[in-house]
Amino acid sequence: MKKYQVVGIGNAMVDVLAHADDTFLAEAGVQKGIMQLIDMDRGVELYGRIGPAKEISGGSAANTIAGIALLGGRTAYVGKVKDDQLGAIFAHDLRAQGADYATPLAPKDAPQETGRCIVLVTPDGERSMNTYLGVTEFLSPSDIVEDQMAAAEWIYLEGYRFDGPESHEAFAKAIAACKGAGGRVSLTLSDPFCVERHRDAFRRMIRDDVDLLFANRAEILSMYQTDDLEKALAQAAAEVELVACTESEKGAHILSGGQRWHVPAVPTDIVDATGAGDLFAAGFLWGLTNGHDLPVCGRMGCIAASEVISHIGARPEADLHSLFVQHGVL
Amino acid sequence: MKKYQVVGIGNAMVDVLAHADDTFLAEAGVQKGIMQLIDMDRGVELYGRIGPAKEISGGSAANTIAGIALLGGRTAYVGKVKDDQLGAIFAHDLRAQGADYATPLAPKDAPQETGRCIVLVTPDGERSMNTYLGVTEFLSPSDIVEDQMAAAEWIYLEGYRFDGPESHEAFAKAIAACKGAGGRVSLTLSDPFCVERHRDAFRRMIRDDVDLLFANRAEILSMYQTDDLEKALAQAAAEVELVACTESEKGAHILSGGQRWHVPAVPTDIVDATGAGDLFAAGFLWGLTNGHDLPVCGRMGCIAASEVISHIGARPEADLHSLFVQHGVL
């Protein structure tokens, strides 16, 4: 048995969550429903305009790893924060959830701060994310510990992490160490505009290295530059052994070895959509690494996603294991 | 018309909110249901033991001022944070709510950090508070701007703020400036053990300067060293023009000029009791400074308190004005 079921690599973030309406988004120049990268000046300006906020640890892959840890999975995370107060919050919350986390801190005198994401939640539950990457942009190959990657059944790579100077090298090092020890590689496309920025690099990685691809509808359409979901799914399935594509309230599509399953979404009142995809991946990967059938893994993903969108914040709050039992998948 | 209806002075804090059970409290040596002062070492040790947390601006008087600001009241706050990330969060949230806040920051090289309160919420909704005061302990008379105190119809003094070397002087300066300009003084006793620590100083202030005393049952019993609420209320009413004493689910007692009113609590499911007293004071003071009758002010206090205990965090989230309308007090 490998030490870890899943080791995630991504952008380490503290989320700054506030409510806003569509008028505010328009006036503040925030694009709705997507992730937009901002610099520190814009971060300060935008933060000065938003209402009272809550600070909750986030980061896409970190949310996934937190979910797997909450489920009792053996898991670890790699992502960079600084030796500052937000960095301490991020590290505490992940470890307190039961995940291993040992990425070296950027020093106190680093010019950037710990990354943060100003998440504006509109009354429809949609989230518009404004990400200041800070030190997390500078995750380097030296932060990747090969022994840890070799100890993982799966590594889970966050597409957002492609936004950084040394990220491709860091991912390549992680993939080589993991695959060299018989492990497998999963990737989430993260965001349609992230796919736009890095389509060629994503595509090479998908073809050459990825065993499991996570995407939502917009991301997979962007990846394969089509408006036709069926075409995009077919292309992905031809390139990757296992594809899990979410489609919001329409549930998820699982494709593998010429077979295909549709899993319905779990209805809930959407309070804050932040983390839906992250927790889908958590439920799916936990199921997969515990030997469950693919449609059951998909159900677990949908249940975990429905929990996280029922409250503010992208980390699960309810006991996911009990929810799996309640829904009859355990 | 004075510039401010209420100016609050207190300990500026960011709350670190986590769930815990009674077993954890016992093992970690946390006394249930009260505020205990801790040093930085204990703060670090305790933080390392608690589960994932949420960071939300707090501070007793700051919660009150945030509530008054949310209601549209003209209000300001005085309390010290540092030029660090938690300090920035505290300042942002208060200003974003509509309160004036201009206390000079402690500099980056100050040996303490911004104060924080590790709030452990048990399944019964009770909160056990572990307060690292940090720089907020060092609020000094020079941080009190006399013109601002003179511009206040009421100042609102937080009992907790007595825990600090120059606090008595700072309060004396605020009181003199406020009263000299025809303003009035309210005080909250904050906590029974805080009353233990500072009974004589509290008592002098109550007799000499206080026009409105806020307390809960445990605090007023501690103040007057009796087990008999009626005796304590009678003593307080003999010393102060207006007394507002809360008694949890039994509501609140208002005493003034030989008259007395009882106001029922507003039933709600208690998720997190943090901030109940703070928001009672917010509703009461907003009502009072908008010319409402005392029993109506008490009702407003109880409605605001019931809102804040229905969710995690000590700052109000719902539109209190609409709640007042719904409950027929506006």
Side-chain angles (χ1 to χ4, degrees):
Chain A
M1 189 174 79
K2 291 213 177 206
K3 181 175 182 185
Y4 297 114
Q5 292 166 269
V6 184
V7 174
I9 307 177
N11 282 332
M13 290 279 149
V14 173
D15 288 346
V16 179
L17 292 139
H19 293 283
D21 57 21
D22 289 340
T23 307
F24 179 91
L25 296 188
E27 287 175 1
V30 173
Q31 287 202 62
K32 185 169 178 175
I34 64 157
M35 190 284 283
Q36 46 230 287
L37 293 172
I38 59 174
D39 61 18
M40 192 64 183
D41 288 346
R42 167 66 172 160
V44 168
E45 188 258 335
L46 186 60
Y47 186 55
R49 294 173 72 165
I50 66 171
K54 294 179 185 179
E55 280 67 28
I56 308 181
S57 289
S60 176
N63 298 334
T64 301
I65 298 305
I68 294 171
L70 177 62
L71 280 160
R74 308 183 310 279
T75 191
Y77 178 76
V78 179
K80 207 162 199 66
V81 295
K82 184 173 174 171
D83 184 9
D84 59 15
Q85 290 172 337
L86 292 180
I89 286 169
F90 179 87
H92 168 268
D93 290 339
L94 204 53
R95 291 180 188 136
Q97 195 63 273
D100 283 355
Y101 175 53
T103 308
L105 298 170
K108 279 188 194 295
D109 59 359
Q112 301 82 14
E113 298 185 6
T114 291
R116 72 209 62 174
C117 182
I118 299 176
V119 183
L120 298 172
V121 181
T122 32
D124 57 4
E126 189 57 86
R127 82 282 184 271
S128 306
M129 299 185 285
N130 304 269
T131 301
Y132 160 71
L133 286 172
V135 298
T136 207
E137 188 177 1
F138 299 94
L139 187 84
S140 75
S142 68
D143 293 314
I144 304 295
V145 178
E146 288 171 321
D147 284 353
Q148 188 179 46
M149 300 302 142
E153 295 174 21
W154 284 90
I155 56 173
Y156 177 71
L157 307 177
E158 177 185 311
Y160 285 136
R161 189 76 285 286
F162 271 74
D163 291 318
E166 294 179 300
S167 55
H168 300 211
E169 282 174 67
F171 273 171
K173 181 177 174 183
I175 290 168
C178 172
K179 293 225 147 183
R184 298 203 286 171
V185 174
S186 60
L187 169 72
T188 174
L189 294 182
S190 291
D191 177 90
F193 297 92
C194 183
V195 173
E196 287 284 337
R197 289 193 291 276
H198 306 290
R199 187 178 289 110
D200 293 345
F202 272 139
R203 193 68 185 276
R204 271 194 303 277
M205 186 185 285
I206 289 170
R207 284 183 177 150
D208 297 345
D209 300 311
V210 171
D211 302 292
L212 164 53
L213 180 67
F214 290 101
N216 67 21
R217 178 192 172 89
E219 292 155 12
I220 206 164
L221 293 179
S222 174
M223 184 70 237
Y224 294 103
Q225 295 176 281
T226 172
D227 289 334
D228 183 338
L229 181 62
E230 289 307 312
K231 280 189 188 163
L233 288 173
Q235 273 201 272
E239 293 180 347
V240 184
E241 184 189 327
L242 179 52
V243 176
C245 179
T246 56
E247 207 183 355
S248 301
E249 72 284 359
K250 294 185 184 165
H253 309 279
I254 319 292
L255 296 88
S256 182
Q259 283 192 281
R260 179 168 171 175
W261 300 267
H262 175 258
V263 182
V266 176
T268 190
D269 288 333
I270 303 182
V271 173
D272 169 16
T274 321
D278 306 334
L279 269 292
F280 176 85
F284 192 92
L285 284 166
W286 185 84
L288 193 64
T289 55
N290 282 287
H292 292 280
D293 293 338
L294 291 177
V296 172
C297 298
R299 284 274 291 158
M300 289 173 169
C302 288
I303 295 164
S306 80
E307 190 281 335
V308 87
I309 65 177
S310 69
H311 57 74
I312 281 278
R315 297 277 175 99
E317 297 188 351
D319 177 351
L320 295 179
H321 206 279
S322 298
L323 287 179
F324 288 179
V325 172
Q326 276 174 40
H327 282 86
V329 291
L330 272 185
Chain B
M1 189 175 77
K2 291 215 178 203
K3 181 174 182 186
Y4 297 114
Q5 291 165 270
V6 184
V7 174
I9 308 177
N11 282 332
M13 290 279 150
V14 173
D15 288 345
V16 178
L17 292 140
H19 293 284
D21 57 22
D22 289 340
T23 307
F24 179 91
L25 296 188
E27 287 175 1
V30 173
Q31 288 202 61
K32 185 168 178 176
I34 64 158
M35 189 285 281
Q36 46 231 285
L37 293 173
I38 60 174
D39 61 17
M40 192 64 183
D41 288 345
R42 167 68 173 160
V44 169
E45 189 257 335
L46 186 60
Y47 186 54
R49 294 173 72 165
I50 67 170
K54 294 180 185 179
E55 280 66 30
I56 308 180
S57 289
S60 175
N63 298 334
T64 301
I65 298 306
I68 294 170
L70 177 62
L71 280 160
R74 307 182 311 279
T75 191
Y77 177 76
V78 179
K80 207 161 198 67
V81 295
K82 184 173 174 170
D83 183 8
D84 58 15
Q85 290 173 337
L86 292 181
I89 286 169
F90 179 88
H92 168 268
D93 290 339
L94 204 52
R95 290 179 188 137
Q97 195 64 275
D100 282 356
Y101 175 53
T103 309
L105 297 171
K108 278 188 195 296
D109 60 358
Q112 300 82 14
E113 298 184 6
T114 291
R116 72 209 62 174
C117 182
I118 299 176
V119 183
L120 297 173
V121 181
T122 34
D124 57 3
E126 189 57 87
R127 83 283 184 268
S128 305
M129 299 184 286
N130 304 269
T131 301
Y132 160 72
L133 287 171
V135 298
T136 207
E137 188 177 1
F138 299 94
L139 187 84
S140 75
S142 69
D143 294 313
I144 304 296
V145 177
E146 286 170 320
D147 284 353
Q148 188 179 46
M149 300 301 142
E153 294 174 20
W154 283 91
I155 57 172
Y156 176 71
L157 307 177
E158 177 186 311
Y160 285 135
R161 188 76 286 286
F162 271 74
D163 291 317
E166 294 179 299
S167 55
H168 301 211
E169 283 175 66
F171 273 172
K173 181 176 174 184
I175 289 168
C178 172
K179 293 223 147 184
R184 297 203 286 172
V185 174
S186 60
L187 169 72
T188 173
L189 294 183
S190 291
D191 176 89
F193 297 92
C194 182
V195 173
E196 286 285 336
R197 290 193 290 277
H198 306 288
R199 188 178 289 109
D200 291 347
F202 272 140
R203 193 70 183 276
R204 271 195 302 278
M205 186 186 285
I206 289 170
R207 282 182 177 150
D208 296 346
D209 301 310
V210 171
D211 302 292
L212 163 54
L213 179 68
F214 289 101
N216 68 21
R217 178 192 172 89
E219 292 154 12
I220 206 164
L221 292 179
S222 174
M223 184 72 238
Y224 294 104
Q225 296 177 281
T226 171
D227 290 334
D228 183 337
L229 182 62
E230 289 307 313
K231 280 189 187 161
L233 289 173
Q235 274 202 271
E239 294 180 347
V240 184
E241 183 189 328
L242 178 53
V243 176
C245 179
T246 56
E247 206 183 357
S248 301
E249 73 281 0
K250 293 185 184 166
H253 309 279
I254 317 292
L255 296 89
S256 182
Q259 283 192 281
R260 179 170 170 173
W261 300 267
H262 174 258
V263 182
V266 175
T268 190
D269 288 333
I270 303 182
V271 173
D272 169 16
T274 320
D278 305 334
L279 269 293
F280 176 85
F284 192 93
L285 283 166
W286 185 84
L288 193 64
T289 55
N290 282 288
H292 293 280
D293 294 338
L294 292 178
V296 173
C297 298
R299 284 276 291 158
M300 290 173 169
C302 288
I303 295 164
S306 79
E307 189 282 334
V308 86
I309 65 177
S310 70
H311 58 73
I312 282 276
R315 298 276 175 99
E317 297 188 351
D319 177 352
L320 295 179
H321 206 278
S322 298
L323 287 179
F324 288 180
V325 172
Q326 275 174 40
H327 282 86
V329 292
L330 272 186

